[in-house]
Amino acid sequence: MKKSIVLAALLLNGIAIFGQTKDELFFKEIYKSSLTNAKCYDWLDHLSNKIGARLSGSDNAQKAVLYTKAQLETLGLDKVYLQEVMVPKWVRGEKETAYILDNKTKITVPICALGGSIATAKNGLTAAVIEVQSIAELKTLGDKLKGKIVFFNRPMEQEFIETFKSYGGCVDQRYAGAKEAAKFGAVGTIVRSMNLRLDDFPHTGNQSYGDLPKSQYIPTAAISTNGAELLSKSLKKNPNLKFYFKQNCQQLEDVLSYNVVGEIKGSVHPENIMVVGGHLDSWDLADGSHDDGAGVVQSMEVINIFKNLGYKPKNTLRVVLFMNEENGGKGGKKYEELAQANHENHIFALESDSGGFSPRGFSFESDEANFNRIQGWKNLFEPYLIHSFTKGHGGSDIDPLTSKTIVKAGLKPDSQRYFDYHHAANDTFDAINKRELELGAATMASLIYLIDQNAILK
C-alpha cells in the first residue's frame, strides 16, 4: 500500500500522531495529494485546448460530456452515468462588427452579441444613441428612446473588495436592459461589459426578453470597457452621433445534452447524498478555463484525492458536471427533478463556479445551527489561508436542490482577477495557475471530508 493510504487508514481509525488531531493530519494528506498527485490541471488542459468552447447544444459540449465521463470511469467509482437534459441552442454566427459614426469619422469598437439576442438586419443597424446609467434612468426617458440605440454604461463599482458584489450591482442592465428598452420603442441596446478593468475584450453573458412578444425583440450586444469609455466621451462632444452594429446570431430548437455524474456509494449511510460539482458548458468566445472548466476539474479532483488516500465516505458522494448553467440552468433543474422523482435525500452540495484562483473560503446556505457548527472548523483551514466563512449563495446549479436537511456551499476563491476573464475571449488555459487550481480542489475535498465525518443532518 502507498504510504499516504497507510497514514490515512491510521488517521481515520482515530490514531493521533505527534499531538495533532486526526482531522489536522488528514487535511495535510488531502493537500499533499492535491499538490503532488493531482490530475485536474491535465484534465483542464484537455477540456480547454483539445476541446475548447462548450456552449450548450454545441458539438464541443458533447465532446466534453464524453471526455469527462471517460475520465471519471478511470477512477474506479461505483457508478458513472449521464442524465439526459434538453438545452437551448443559440449560435453566434459571424463575428460582430461595430463602429461610432461621428460626422464623417468612423471609429471601430469591439462588441459581442449577448446570449439569446436576436440578430440585426442583414445590413446591420444604425441609429442615434442615448446613454443611461441604469434601468431606472431609462424608464424616466419614455418616448425619447423611440428609434434609438440605448447605451447602458453603468460600470462595476471599484470600491468593493468582494467583486461579485460589484457584478451584482450592475448585471441587471445586461440581463434585462434590452427587454426594458424595447418597451419604449428602442431599436437596439449596447451594454458596457461586466469588467472592472479597462481593456478591449467585450464580455458576453445571458440576457432575457422576458415575456415580450417576439415582434418586440431588439438586438443587444456588449461593448468592451475601452469602447464604452470612448463612446461615452464621444457622446459628450457630439450628442447627435450615430452607432452602427451588425450581428448574425440566432436561437435554434432545443437539443439533447447531458449532466455527467460519478458516484461513490456511502459505506455507512448510502441513503444520504453529498454533491460536489461545477458546470460543463461555457460561453463560446473562449474555452472557459475559469468559467467553469476550473470548477469541473476541481470537483473531479475531489474524488481523485479520496481514491488516492483510500478514503471511503460514509455518505454517498456524487460529482455532478452540470450542463447549461450559462444560458438556461437546465442541468441543475433536471438534476433536482430526478432527485425528487427518486426520493433522494441530499444532505450537502458544494459548487465551484468562481474561477480557479487561490481559495479563500466558502459561502454557505444553511440554518444557524449548522452554520455555527461549520464555523467551529475554521481553525482547521486557517493554516491553508482559508479564512472566509460567510452566509451567502452556494451556486446556480445547486440552487434548485430542495432536500429538507441540505446545506449548500460555494467555493470562494480570491475574486480580484475573475472579472478580467469572465465571459470574454481571454478566459483561456494560459490564465490558469496550476497550484492555485490544485489548492482549490484540496479545500473542497477538506470541507466534504468534514461534512462526511460529522454527518450534518439537522
Side-chain angles (χ1 to χ4, degrees), residues 83 275 318 320 331-339 346 401:
Q83 293 179 334
V275 163
R318 283 183 188 161
V320 183
K333 294 170 186 174
K334 174 56 71 172
Y335 182 85
E336 163 63 3
E337 177 188 321
L338 294 173
H346 286 74
L401 281 170

Side-chain angles (χ1 to χ4, degrees), residues 379-417:
N379 65 303
L380 292 166
F381 288 92
E382 286 172 356
Y384 305 94
L385 304 182
I386 309 301
H387 58 272
S388 179
F389 282 48
T390 61
K391 278 201 166 187
H393 184 56
S396 298
D397 284 309
I398 62 176
D399 190 59
L401 281 170
T402 56
S403 294
K404 293 180 180 179
T405 58
I406 196 167
V407 172
K408 302 177 187 179
L411 179 69
K412 287 180 62 177
D414 187 298
S415 69
Q416 304 313 311
R417 290 172 288 152

Side-chain angles (χ1 to χ4, degrees), residues 102-339:
D102 190 351
N103 296 319
K104 295 182 179 180
T105 304
K106 182 189 293 186
I107 308 170
T108 300
V109 290
I111 69 158
C112 65
L114 291 176
S117 176
I118 63 168
T120 59
K122 185 176 180 181
N123 294 323
L125 170 65
T126 303
V129 180
I130 291 183
E131 179 179 347
V132 298
Q133 296 294 307
S134 66
I135 290 175
E137 181 184 354
L138 170 105
K139 292 179 178 179
T140 67
L141 298 175
D143 290 342
K144 293 179 182 178
L145 302 174
K146 191 172 183 178
K148 304 295 197 304
I149 292 173
V150 175
F151 169 38
F152 289 95
N153 192 34
R154 183 164 82 258
M156 290 179 67
E157 293 287 350
Q158 296 284 346
E159 66 187 83
F160 299 119
I161 300 301
E162 176 49 76
T163 62
F164 282 89
K165 186 174 182 180
S166 304
Y167 178 70
C170 64
V171 73
D172 64 326
Q173 61 191 334
R174 187 197 77 198
Y175 184 74
K179 177 188 71 173
E180 297 301 330
K183 293 176 182 177
F184 296 97
V187 293
T189 60
I190 297 295
V191 183
R192 183 188 183 101
S193 287
M194 305 292 107
N195 185 3
L196 282 158
R197 70 178 182 181
L198 295 176
D199 63 24
D200 294 317
F201 293 103
H203 293 230
T204 192
N206 206 32
Q207 69 87 37
S208 172
Y209 295 113
D211 57 1
L212 284 179
K214 287 187 177 181
S215 61
Q216 288 186 251
Y217 288 8
I218 59 176
T220 179
I223 185 171
S224 72
T225 48
N226 275 339
E229 292 289 297
L230 177 61
L231 179 55
S232 183
K233 289 176 182 176
S234 300
L235 280 168
K236 288 179 173 61
K237 293 178 181 178
N238 178 14
N240 297 314
L241 65 75
K242 293 188 177 181
F243 190 86
Y244 166 88
F245 73 108
K246 180 183 177 182
Q247 56 192 42
N248 303 279
C249 42
Q250 56 180 320
Q251 188 76 49
L252 304 176
E253 294 295 322
D254 287 3
V255 299
L256 178 64
S257 190
Y258 305 90
N259 294 330
V260 182
V261 184
E263 178 177 301
I264 300 176
K265 189 174 182 179
S267 60
V268 179
H269 295 291
E271 72 281 5
N272 297 331
I273 299 169
M274 305 180 297
V275 163
V276 58
H279 66 85
L280 196 50
D281 60 307
S282 75
W283 281 108
D284 57 321
L285 297 179
D287 55 61
S289 288
H290 276 296
D291 187 18
D292 184 32
V296 165
V297 299
Q298 286 174 327
S299 299
M300 294 167 67
E301 188 61 44
V302 169
I303 298 276
N304 188 43
I305 289 169
F306 288 161
K307 281 291 184 178
N308 287 339
L309 296 179
Y311 179 71
K312 297 179 180 179
K314 297 177 180 180
N315 304 283
T316 294
L317 175 60
R318 283 183 188 161
V319 55
V320 183
L321 312 181
F322 298 95
M323 184 57 71
N324 185 232
E325 186 274 344
E326 293 293 6
N327 61 335
K330 296 292 184 67
K333 294 170 186 174
K334 174 56 71 172
Y335 182 85
E336 163 63 3
E337 177 188 321
L338 294 173

Side-chain angles (χ1 to χ4, degrees), residues 349-352 361-365 393-395 398 408-412:
L350 170 61
E351 184 167 338
S352 173
F362 302 95
S363 56
F364 293 95
E365 295 180 51
H393 184 56
I398 62 176
K408 302 177 187 179
L411 179 69
K412 287 180 62 177

